[in-house]
Amino acid sequence: NDRISALTSLLEHLTRSDPTPVINQAQVIDRILAEKMIFASAEMVMVLPLDGAGRPLAQHRLSEGSIDRCSIPLRSLVRYLLNLNAHRFVLAHNHPSGDPTPSEHDRLISRRIQRHCATLDLTLVDHVVIARSGFASALHEHPIQKRSWLHLQA
């Protein structure tokens, strides 16, 4: 009967565990984006808008720059987030040099974006710098973390 089949399908959907991870730490961001970013020859900025539970709604390349710098276009970022009706988001960018240490400029830009977006009720959850040797937050004062799940050979 069609109703039983539809109800069974709905129950399976509702009880299935969601494979999309909740972003609650920099390691989760690294897990999602590292394979796309660590071997890039130029810096790129990615944005992950989050749903109410902290799961990414999408992955969007916001900009691409040169080997040692990349701009974060604030207007494009805000427009993208507002179009998705996202209230929280994560930024990530790579360091092609392989060193994930956030520069003072990375930290300054993170705080500036956080402050400007807050006036529009947009919350920057984190800004993670991803590199071959590990990852670190440019927004929070956490130590550089080595990657335990990706082993690279020189």
Side-chain angles (χ1 to χ4, degrees), residues 9-34:
S9 178
L10 176 63
L11 287 173
E12 286 174 356
H13 175 75
L14 292 174
T15 58
R16 190 177 325 139
S17 74
D18 194 339
T20 307
V22 172
I23 294 183
N24 55 9
Q25 56 186 335
Q27 183 177 8
V28 178
I29 301 162
D30 179 69
R31 233 178 233 284
I32 292 170
L33 295 175

Side-chain angles (χ1 to χ4, degrees), residues 39-55:
F39 294 112
S41 59
E43 280 198 14
M44 70 174 82
V45 177
M46 300 286 290
V47 59
L48 300 174
L50 305 176
D51 68 11
R55 290 185 182 89

